[in-house]
Amino acid sequence: MMMQKWRRSGDFIRFGRKSLTNLRSKEDSVSRSVSGFVNCCESKGKLFEPNAGNHNTELDHRCPGRNLGIMQQYKCFGSSSASQIQRNPLFSSLDSNDVSYFKEILGEKNVIEDEERLETANTDWMHKYKGSSKLMLLPKNTEEVSQVLNYCDSRRLAVVPQGGNTGLVGGSVPVFDEVIINVGLMNKVLAFDEVSGVLVCEAGCILENLANFLDTKGFVMPLDLGAKGSCHIGGNVSTNAGGLRLIRYGSLHGTVLGLEAVTANGNVLDMLGTLRKDNTGYDLKHLFIGSEGSLGIVTKVSILTQPKLASVNLAFIACKDYLSCQKILVEAKKNLGEILSAFEFLDNNSMDLVLNHLDGVRNPISSSENFYILIETTGSDETSDREKLEAFLLKSLEKRLVSDGVIAQDINQASSFWRIREGITEALQKAGAFYKYDLSLPVEEIYNIVNDLRGRLGDLANVMGYGHLGDGNLHLNISTVEYNDKILGLIEPYVYEWTSKHRGSISAEHGLGVMKANEILYSKSPETVALMASIKKLLDPKGILNPYKVLPQSFFSP
Amino acid sequence: MMMQKWRRSGDFIRFGRKSLTNLRSKEDSVSRSVSGFVNCCESKGKLFEPNAGNHNTELDHRCPGRNLGIMQQYKCFGSSSASQIQRNPLFSSLDSNDVSYFKEILGEKNVIEDEERLETANTDWMHKYKGSSKLMLLPKNTEEVSQVLNYCDSRRLAVVPQGGNTGLVGGSVPVFDEVIINVGLMNKVLAFDEVSGVLVCEAGCILENLANFLDTKGFVMPLDLGAKGSCHIGGNVSTNAGGLRLIRYGSLHGTVLGLEAVTANGNVLDMLGTLRKDNTGYDLKHLFIGSEGSLGIVTKVSILTQPKLASVNLAFIACKDYLSCQKILVEAKKNLGEILSAFEFLDNNSMDLVLNHLDGVRNPISSSENFYILIETTGSDETSDREKLEAFLLKSLEKRLVSDGVIAQDINQASSFWRIREGITEALQKAGAFYKYDLSLPVEEIYNIVNDLRGRLGDLANVMGYGHLGDGNLHLNISTVEYNDKILGLIEPYVYEWTSKHRGSISAEHGLGVMKANEILYSKSPETVALMASIKKLLDPKGILNPYKVLPQSFFSP
């Protein structure tokens, strides 16, 4: 069954100059299911955002939030500003009456004081951010979330909403002693409509469980992430997770049809529509998509899922220059438009890194080239999809946009191609110290920042670029022998300033969390950030929801 | 060229029991370009929302906004509540100093006091709503919009933002003497990126002009409306216009990447990002998409356009029952998934109406059936797309979901098929009085409301259903000999209550405007509406922006 999806396309397997005979060797050590390989291709890319080192850069006049207190409560490898936060003195401290109240509401076993469990819940999965909460609450339903929040608000107890705790910017763990509200027990599928494809579920559903549920119905989730085995749909929505399928199905702002959220004072907002079209008033659910739990706790989600399509094809191609990559993207959108499901790129430095540091990985293109692209198609008709992809690639070859390439003939080959793209962060870790940025930029600018940074850093570091080219999302990596202030000083704020100058985003898909809360002005105008702060104050006047995150603290004078 | 797009598919032209030999006759009186026929299929459906008659229904306890004053300033054919609005006494009245100031800012010729031009600007295009504004302002850029609004806010002069004035719910004309701010002079394309497909333009660009501009670049807008020759992109965004391509490209919440808006006090919010991914803080642009100009005036828009695809096919099929329609929709999503670009349905009553009242229209299916469906595909490969559509239809025929059908073989046939779908409202007008509703409902419920209403109305009226089945959007039509209170009393609030009970939307794509502002609670929870009102107060404390619209006035005690 699996093999059928990767039928040999004999005419194309060697459409370039180079031999691909070694493709079927033992290199394909990663064995995954079809859904597995599709799902995992961004896992490593998503799972690290170190900017490792514990340094401060000079204050930036555009970032009023940087000039804060100096108490450092948590370990910080990240951005400078995150190391300078004071606990808000207006927040109460937990006492035994609070704990008793919570036990009354939630039952003894769902009020967690156990040190070991708290240690886990206080720590993000990268062990990069760590809080010191003394309590984790596990509500079973919306009403309990409401009661808990209402109480916390009245007592001015700060809280941190938590899902699968797979975030990359310190958004899902406490900074100080915030009460952790984990929605993991709210994990029921509430409804699925096979006609419309609309799924309604509780926020604590693990993404992979939803994917498995849908698979039995012949549907797929419109998003897919490397962290899917742990992350919750509520967390996905709250962080506006991007992931692999964005190029095909768009962002959660388009696919989430409705949600239920509880605001800081326990107010339950029922916005759980299941309709594709509804123009009755302001579409407030969008405030909660991507606000990282700082405006409310998402408790239920309604999402448009997609029919599972039978045919998947994957090509790995090489290009001489970045301009060719760009041109191929434009052509692919035109010629593969409706079946294009991934368009990823990496440069030769990234390829070399993977080849040098990971076992069993080989370049499918037998000699090296400056750039590589993975093009995946997903459609309903295997024969025509494959023909379409082959025709497109041959045309690109004739136009000399492509210098060589292969189409995977089975799941193992496909896995081996994805392994290269996935393996970059793993290889980075093995190579030594590294600084990593997740940027959105206009496609034509994407590689300029890589080149500029190379010029700036010279022999001090190895600068690499790869990412979701189809979405304009660059993962910029700088690999060095060791972390040091000089190199970081050359990188930051240069990278942020460069990104800002080109109207890019300093966080394409990871959010701001505590790591980049004070850097928001690099990507958003002061007037817009001021309005965000006003909306935060409107929905959470006491500021108890996920404090110190998303927005600069300077907007909230105690 | 055109003809090639509708190549004969000989095997399928007569796949059913009935002869289709008359298809190539002179019936195809509507001659349009390919883009034309694609674009126009919803024109009539979009262009009327009469609920004609000037009646009041009983007050509904769910609609606190209904119990207002009784001064009736404007002609009202619509919903009961719209007839009961008092001018907000806190608003100032225009004086000569104001006019002088505006002339200073905008120049004499862009301050319109001419009665004829004001008559046009005061009246919606259906001649259903009419205000009595004494002044229309034509700013040329964002700064002028900002200056004007800042002044109006300081003087507490109410304003109505106006684009192409093609709205259907009285949202784009004054209710009383509001100053009209028309952005028609702001009509420049600012940038287009052929790599990403991102278009940036001013709000006053006419949709069709943008479509024509993109056509030269090989791209299409992600939305298309019947009103495209007049409507502005700023108005489209402000009303979250739906239209024809929603099933394929999703809503504007997904395709609008950024915008610039000016709030009531003249504050310019630069949210004009051009990135597909940007997770830096709250995505505030969504507040302005669909808020009908009540939170700010959209001045610039950045939108993701799509490559123009070469192959378009259109099938017209007949089904015995609604359940079959539903099943075909599910199968079409699975089997045509990536090329499906329209899925429209009409019932036999709608077909009969068109056949009885419009000249030159024939049923492509030679004998009548209970339901008809139009399925359009758009893709990059003509041969494979057509084969896919044919295979799908033959399979549906074998499964007895379809009783008969045809695929258009040229542009004229395609036009004649669309003519039936488009012609319904025109035919309704010719048939006499009619009541028309634009509802979103779960697909499985869509035809139940038609049947229930038939039972309720008996011989009093002819109840018809048609619409965008693929989006769950029903256009419910009730045709009668003449308007009368008894019939309206049987329809309203029954239709709204029925819709509410099934978690539907009382406005799928037209918005609320002044017509349904007080009916919002049928589709949104009180807590959500209260939050909307708080956000309105936050962004527009004096309530000068498009007053009396979108939200119930009861939320804004003077």
Side-chain angles (χ1 to χ4, degrees):
Chain A
M1 276 292 283
M2 289 303 158
M3 296 294 283
Q4 283 178 350
K5 301 204 169 171
W6 298 98
R7 276 190 202 159
R8 174 167 188 164
S9 51
D11 295 336
F12 194 71
I13 181 70
R14 198 171 164 177
F15 73 90
R17 297 186 309 272
K18 291 152 196 127
S19 166
L20 298 164
T21 47
N22 60 353
L23 245 184
R24 269 164 263 144
S25 70
K26 301 289 181 292
E27 69 188 2
D28 306 323
S29 57
V30 182
S31 173
R32 290 175 293 187
S33 70
V34 165
S35 80
F37 92 76
V38 172
N39 295 331
C40 294
C41 68
E42 177 49 345
S43 58
K44 305 308 186 306
K46 285 283 296 174
L47 301 184
F48 290 91
E49 186 71 52
N51 297 338
N54 195 357
H55 315 289
N56 294 338
T57 59
E58 67 268 15
L59 290 178
D60 184 310
H61 70 281
R62 291 196 59 190
C63 293
R66 288 185 167 199
N67 206 351
L68 296 157
I70 50 162
M71 180 177 163
Q72 186 174 344
Q73 172 72 12
Y74 60 94
K75 193 177 171 190
C76 172
F77 297 82
S79 180
S80 55
S81 53
S83 61
Q84 301 172 325
I85 301 176
Q86 278 189 307
R87 184 181 183 280
N88 182 341
L90 295 176
F91 290 145
S92 305
S93 291
L94 196 75
D95 64 28
S96 58
N97 288 336
D98 301 325
V99 177
S100 300
Y101 177 81
F102 293 133
K103 285 181 177 171
E104 206 176 289
I105 299 294
L106 305 176
E108 195 107 7
K109 68 174 179 173
N110 293 326
V111 176
I112 310 301
E113 299 175 276
D114 172 74
E115 279 190 19
E116 206 171 317
R117 291 181 72 181
L118 283 174
E119 171 79 10
T120 304
N122 267 307
T123 313
D124 83 313
W125 78 270
M126 296 179 292
H127 294 264
K128 187 172 153 185
Y129 299 97
K130 188 170 179 183
S132 53
S133 176
K134 301 292 180 214
L135 199 71
M136 175 164 67
L137 304 178
L138 303 174
K140 294 181 294 300
N141 53 51
T142 302
E143 202 190 342
E144 288 184 356
V145 174
S146 170
Q147 284 179 283
V148 165
L149 280 179
N150 182 272
Y151 180 84
C152 289
D153 193 55
S154 68
R155 276 274 291 128
R156 203 155 189 163
L157 281 168
V159 304
V160 53
Q162 190 175 76
N165 194 12
T166 61
L168 296 159
V169 289
S172 58
V173 291
V175 177
F176 298 98
D177 58 345
E178 300 93 283
V179 173
I180 300 164
I181 301 180
N182 188 301
V183 298
L185 296 182
M186 299 170 64
N187 57 6
K188 289 191 287 294
V189 169
L190 301 173
F192 179 67
D193 179 351
E194 299 197 30
V195 176
S196 62
V198 177
L199 172 77
V200 184
C201 64
E202 291 182 314
C205 290
I206 290 173
L207 182 58
E208 190 167 46
N209 293 348
L210 294 175
N212 292 340
F213 168 81
L214 288 172
D215 192 60
T216 65
K217 308 281 184 186
F219 285 78
V220 296
M221 290 293 282
L223 81 160
D224 201 353
L225 310 173
K228 71 173 181 169
S230 303
C231 66
H232 294 181
I233 188 67
N236 297 148
V237 169
S238 297
T239 57
N240 188 30
L244 291 173
R245 292 178 183 157
L246 193 135
I247 193 173
R248 179 63 167 267
Y249 300 123
S251 87
L252 291 173
H253 284 287
T255 54
V256 170
L257 299 182
L259 51 81
E260 179 189 77
V262 186
T263 55
N265 65 358
N267 196 14
V268 179
L269 295 175
D270 175 3
M271 304 170 288
L272 199 60
T274 56
L275 308 166
R276 285 206 73 174
K277 290 163 108 171
D278 176 21
N279 280 352
T280 52
Y282 313 152
D283 201 346
L284 296 184
K285 67 171 179 278
H286 295 286
L287 281 179
F288 299 88
I289 300 174
S291 58
E292 306 181 41
S294 66
L295 295 180
I297 298 184
V298 171
T299 45
K300 292 186 186 116
V301 173
S302 155
I303 190 163
L304 184 65
T305 72
Q306 298 292 336
K308 188 179 176 179
L309 300 176
S311 152
V312 182
N313 286 289
L314 182 67
F316 193 99
I317 60 178
C319 305
K320 281 210 185 315
D321 49 44
Y322 181 72
L323 190 62
S324 296
C325 298
Q326 245 185 261
K327 286 182 179 168
I328 293 169
L329 174 61
V330 174
E331 293 298 316
K333 282 185 183 172
K334 274 185 197 155
N335 293 285
L336 303 173
E338 70 275 18
I339 56 170
L340 187 64
S341 55
F343 195 102
E344 302 282 319
F345 93 114
L346 60 150
D347 60 12
N348 198 34
N349 290 29
S350 303
M351 174 67 91
D352 281 346
L353 189 87
V354 172
L355 296 178
N356 290 336
H357 293 280
L358 299 188
D359 293 335
V361 177
R362 287 190 203 170
N363 185 349
I365 313 294
S366 50
S367 71
S368 75
E369 190 51 282
N370 292 320
F371 292 92
Y372 303 93
I373 297 173
L374 283 97
I375 299 179
E376 189 195 67
T377 67
T378 307
S380 56
D381 186 289
E382 194 177 334
T383 310
S384 73
D385 289 358
R386 202 183 54 240
E387 284 170 4
K388 209 177 275 187
L389 180 60
E390 287 175 13
F392 167 71
L393 292 174
L394 284 169
K395 201 170 133 195
S396 302
L397 193 68
E398 282 161 20
K399 286 183 178 176
R400 298 180 185 275
L401 296 174
V402 168
S403 50
D404 201 354
V406 285
I407 294 182
Q409 295 178 83
D410 57 39
I411 181 65
N412 287 333
Q413 286 192 4
S415 296
S416 74
F417 295 178
W418 278 124
R419 172 68 176 144
I420 297 164
R421 167 67 182 79
E422 282 183 287
I424 299 172
T425 302
E426 192 182 335
L428 267 174
Q429 287 181 294
K430 292 188 178 177
F434 62 101
Y435 304 87
K436 198 165 165 57
Y437 299 86
D438 165 44
L439 309 173
S440 265
L441 285 165
V443 174
E444 59 273 24
E445 296 293 347
I446 274 189
Y447 211 69
N448 291 341
I449 190 171
V450 180
N451 285 327
D452 285 2
L453 210 56
R454 266 184 201 144
R456 190 173 168 84
L457 292 173
D459 294 336
L460 289 171
N462 177 20
V463 183
M464 288 157 282
Y466 72 97
H468 314 284
L469 191 61
D471 303 323
N473 186 180
L474 171 73
H475 294 305
L476 172 67
N477 295 277
I478 299 115
S479 174
T480 63
V481 179
E482 57 179 6
Y483 296 114
N484 78 57
D485 282 355
K486 185 183 169 193
I487 291 176
L488 186 61
L490 286 169
I491 301 171
E492 287 186 29
Y494 181 80
V495 166
Y496 292 140
E497 286 170 353
W498 201 104
T499 304
S500 177
K501 187 177 154 193
H502 294 86
R503 290 192 76 99
S505 169
I506 60 161
S507 181
E509 57 183 9
H510 297 171
L512 296 170
V514 68
M515 177 181 164
K516 296 186 238 176
N518 288 328
E519 323 292 347
I520 190 172
L521 288 162
Y522 282 113
S523 287
K524 292 286 161 71
S525 71
E527 296 81 6
T528 312
V529 178
L531 179 55
M532 290 181 200
S534 299
I535 285 173
K536 167 73 175 172
K537 282 176 190 162
L538 177 70
L539 272 89
D540 180 16
K542 295 178 185 168
I544 65 161
L545 271 173
N546 226 4
Y548 323 112
K549 292 164 188 171
V550 188
L551 297 172
Q553 285 309 297
S554 56
F555 281 87
F556 307 97
S557 43
Chain B
M1 276 293 285
M2 289 301 158
M3 296 295 283
Q4 284 178 348
K5 300 202 171 175
W6 298 98
R7 276 191 203 158
R8 173 165 188 167
S9 51
D11 294 337
F12 193 72
I13 183 69
R14 197 169 166 177
F15 73 89
R17 295 186 309 272
K18 290 150 196 129
S19 166
L20 298 164
T21 47
N22 60 354
L23 245 184
R24 270 164 265 145
S25 71
K26 300 289 180 294
E27 69 188 2
D28 307 322
S29 57
V30 182
S31 174
R32 291 174 293 184
S33 70
V34 165
S35 85
F37 91 78
V38 172
N39 295 331
C40 293
C41 65
E42 176 51 347
S43 59
K44 305 309 185 305
K46 283 286 296 173
L47 300 183
F48 291 92
E49 186 68 56
N51 297 337
N54 194 358
H55 315 289
N56 294 336
T57 58
E58 66 268 16
L59 292 177
D60 185 307
H61 71 282
R62 293 196 59 193
C63 293
R66 288 182 166 202
N67 206 352
L68 297 157
I70 51 162
M71 180 177 163
Q72 187 173 343
Q73 171 74 8
Y74 60 95
K75 191 176 173 190
C76 172
F77 296 83
S79 181
S80 55
S81 53
S83 61
Q84 302 172 323
I85 301 176
Q86 277 189 306
R87 184 181 183 283
N88 183 340
L90 296 176
F91 290 144
S92 304
S93 291
L94 196 74
D95 64 29
S96 59
N97 289 335
D98 300 326
V99 177
S100 301
Y101 177 81
F102 292 132
K103 285 181 177 169
E104 206 176 289
I105 299 294
L106 305 176
E108 195 107 4
K109 69 173 180 175
N110 293 326
V111 176
I112 311 300
E113 298 175 276
D114 173 74
E115 278 189 19
E116 205 169 317
R117 290 182 72 181
L118 282 174
E119 172 79 11
T120 304
N122 267 307
T123 314
D124 83 315
W125 77 270
M126 297 179 294
H127 295 264
K128 188 174 154 186
Y129 300 98
K130 188 170 179 183
S132 54
S133 176
K134 301 290 179 217
L135 200 70
M136 175 164 67
L137 305 177
L138 303 174
K140 295 181 295 300
N141 52 51
T142 302
E143 201 189 344
E144 288 184 357
V145 174
S146 169
Q147 284 179 284
V148 164
L149 280 179
N150 181 271
Y151 180 84
C152 290
D153 192 56
S154 68
R155 277 273 292 128
R156 203 158 189 161
L157 282 168
V159 304
V160 54
Q162 190 174 76
N165 194 11
T166 60
L168 296 158
V169 289
S172 58
V173 291
V175 177
F176 299 98
D177 58 345
E178 300 92 284
V179 173
I180 300 165
I181 301 179
N182 188 301
V183 297
L185 296 183
M186 298 168 64
N187 57 7
K188 288 191 287 296
V189 169
L190 301 173
F192 179 66
D193 179 352
E194 298 198 30
V195 177
S196 63
V198 177
L199 172 77
V200 184
C201 64
E202 290 183 315
C205 289
I206 290 173
L207 182 58
E208 191 166 47
N209 292 349
L210 293 176
N212 292 341
F213 168 81
L214 288 173
D215 193 59
T216 64
K217 308 281 185 185
F219 284 78
V220 296
M221 288 293 283
L223 81 161
D224 201 354
L225 310 172
K228 71 173 180 168
S230 304
C231 66
H232 294 182
I233 187 68
N236 297 150
V237 169
S238 297
T239 57
N240 189 29
L244 291 173
R245 293 180 182 155
L246 193 134
I247 192 174
R248 179 64 167 267
Y249 300 122
S251 87
L252 291 174
H253 284 287
T255 54
V256 171
L257 299 183
L259 51 83
E260 180 190 75
V262 186
T263 56
N265 65 358
N267 196 14
V268 179
L269 294 175
D270 174 4
M271 303 170 288
L272 197 61
T274 56
L275 309 166
R276 286 206 74 174
K277 292 164 108 171
D278 177 19
N279 280 352
T280 52
Y282 313 154
D283 202 346
L284 296 183
K285 68 172 179 278
H286 295 285
L287 280 179
F288 298 88
I289 300 174
S291 58
E292 304 181 42
S294 66
L295 296 180
I297 298 184
V298 171
T299 45
K300 295 189 183 108
V301 173
S302 154
I303 190 164
L304 185 66
T305 72
Q306 298 292 335
K308 189 178 176 182
L309 299 177
S311 152
V312 182
N313 287 289
L314 182 67
F316 194 100
I317 60 178
C319 306
K320 283 211 184 318
D321 49 44
Y322 181 72
L323 190 60
S324 297
C325 299
Q326 245 184 261
K327 285 181 180 170
I328 292 169
L329 174 60
V330 174
E331 293 297 317
K333 281 186 185 173
K334 274 185 197 155
N335 292 287
L336 303 174
E338 70 275 18
I339 57 171
L340 188 65
S341 56
F343 194 103
E344 303 282 317
F345 92 114
L346 58 151
D347 60 13
N348 198 33
N349 290 30
S350 303
M351 174 66 91
D352 281 347
L353 189 88
V354 172
L355 296 178
N356 290 337
H357 293 279
L358 298 189
D359 293 335
V361 176
R362 287 192 202 167
N363 185 349
I365 314 293
S366 50
S367 73
S368 75
E369 191 51 281
N370 293 320
F371 292 91
Y372 303 92
I373 297 173
L374 283 96
I375 299 178
E376 187 194 70
T377 66
T378 306
S380 56
D381 186 290
E382 196 178 333
T383 310
S384 73
D385 289 359
R386 201 184 56 241
E387 283 170 4
K388 209 177 274 188
L389 179 61
E390 288 176 13
F392 168 71
L393 293 172
L394 284 168
K395 201 171 133 195
S396 302
L397 194 70
E398 283 162 18
K399 285 183 177 176
R400 296 178 186 278
L401 296 174
V402 168
S403 52
D404 201 354
V406 283
I407 293 182
Q409 293 176 83
D410 57 38
I411 181 66
N412 288 332
Q413 286 192 6
S415 296
S416 73
F417 295 178
W418 278 123
R419 173 68 177 144
I420 297 164
R421 167 66 182 82
E422 282 184 286
I424 298 172
T425 302
E426 191 182 336
L428 267 174
Q429 287 181 293
K430 294 189 176 177
F434 63 101
Y435 305 86
K436 196 165 166 60
Y437 300 86
D438 164 43
L439 310 173
S440 264
L441 284 165
V443 173
E444 59 273 24
E445 296 293 347
I446 275 189
Y447 211 70
N448 290 341
I449 191 170
V450 180
N451 285 327
D452 285 3
L453 209 57
R454 266 184 200 142
R456 189 172 168 88
L457 292 173
D459 294 336
L460 290 172
N462 178 19
V463 183
M464 289 157 281
Y466 73 97
H468 314 284
L469 191 60
D471 303 323
N473 186 181
L474 172 73
H475 294 304
L476 172 67
N477 295 278
I478 299 115
S479 173
T480 64
V481 179
E482 57 178 7
Y483 296 113
N484 77 56
D485 283 354
K486 184 182 168 194
I487 290 176
L488 186 60
L490 286 168
I491 300 171
E492 290 187 25
Y494 180 79
V495 166
Y496 292 140
E497 286 170 352
W498 201 103
T499 303
S500 177
K501 188 176 152 194
H502 294 86
R503 292 193 74 99
S505 169
I506 60 161
S507 181
E509 56 183 9
H510 297 171
L512 297 169
V514 69
M515 177 181 165
K516 295 185 238 177
N518 289 327
E519 322 292 345
I520 190 171
L521 288 162
Y522 283 114
S523 287
K524 292 285 160 72
S525 71
E527 296 80 8
T528 311
V529 178
L531 180 55
M532 289 180 201
S534 299
I535 285 173
K536 167 74 175 170
K537 282 175 190 161
L538 177 69
L539 272 88
D540 180 16
K542 296 177 184 169
I544 64 161
L545 271 174
N546 227 2
Y548 323 111
K549 293 164 187 169
V550 188
L551 296 173
Q553 285 309 297
S554 58
F555 280 85
F556 307 97
S557 43

